[in-house]
Amino acid sequence: MIVKATPENLDQEIVEQLKDWANGDLRRAVNEAVKETAETAAKMLRQGGPYQERTGKYTKDWDSKLRKGKYTSEVMTEQYSVYNKKHFRLTHLLEKGHQSRNGGRVKAYEHIKPTYDVVEQLAISNIGKRVREISK
């Protein structure tokens, strides 16, 4: 939505726009896009990575949830966490590699960072799409 303001009433227009943001459909649309993106990230991680998994339990446990009481301070949008429910200790070991019992190194299997990079662009496009739908 394009708003035309003169220098004399600019402060009033800014206040009105902020009120619309705080109470309106735009904030809800952004929150929905962020939630959808978090769910997509968990789904992508559940599909597995470049590692060979013995039991399949690690990939099944990826999930996303709303962080209670956590909002971005500027615009009060919700924050979500994508996490592994039961095998959270393995995430860093698989992503970065680690020392083995025999003194060697265990190979790193990056699977979270590539997903993060894809989801970052997906979040931008989801938010843009939802905002354009609201602005029409």
Side-chain angles (χ1 to χ4, degrees):
M1 151 178 47
I2 298 174
V3 177
K4 297 200 180 219
T6 62
E8 293 80 30
N9 71 349
L10 182 62
D11 59 340
Q12 295 165 350
E13 285 298 327
I14 290 173
V15 169
E16 286 300 316
Q17 292 300 316
L18 289 174
K19 283 181 185 176
D20 287 346
W21 167 259
N23 300 324
D25 296 331
L26 191 57
R27 184 171 136 201
R28 261 189 303 281
V30 170
N31 286 338
E32 289 172 6
V34 170
K35 180 179 180 180
E36 178 185 326
T37 304
E39 291 169 353
T40 302
K43 183 177 178 183
M44 289 172 68
L45 287 167
R46 276 193 296 268
Q47 291 174 353
Y51 48 86
Q52 182 66 36
E53 191 171 358
R54 292 180 295 162
T55 62
K57 293 179 182 178
Y58 176 74
T59 54
K60 284 191 249 180
D61 283 337
W62 284 102
D63 198 10
S64 64
K65 71 175 180 179
L66 175 65
R67 296 178 68 186
K68 297 285 184 205
K70 296 289 183 177
Y71 296 94
T72 53
S73 60
E74 298 84 19
V75 291
M76 294 299 290
T77 56
E78 297 172 342
Q79 291 183 356
Y80 285 83
S81 292
V82 178
Y83 66 104
N84 196 299
K85 290 186 238 178
K86 295 181 184 172
H87 305 282
F88 52 89
R89 292 173 190 89
L90 288 178
T91 57
H92 182 79
L93 297 175
L94 278 173
E95 186 78 8
K96 305 294 182 185
H98 58 91
Q99 189 76 30
S100 71
R101 292 183 194 178
N102 302 332
R105 293 284 305 166
V106 175
K107 180 181 172 189
Y109 295 101
E110 277 198 350
H111 58 292
I112 300 170
K113 172 104 171 73
T115 302
Y116 175 82
D117 294 339
V118 169
V119 169
E120 183 178 27
Q121 295 302 316
L122 182 64
I124 293 168
S125 67
N126 279 349
I127 291 170
K129 180 175 69 173
R130 299 274 173 112
V131 168
R132 280 190 295 277
E133 288 174 1
I134 295 293
S135 322
K136 288 182 181 179

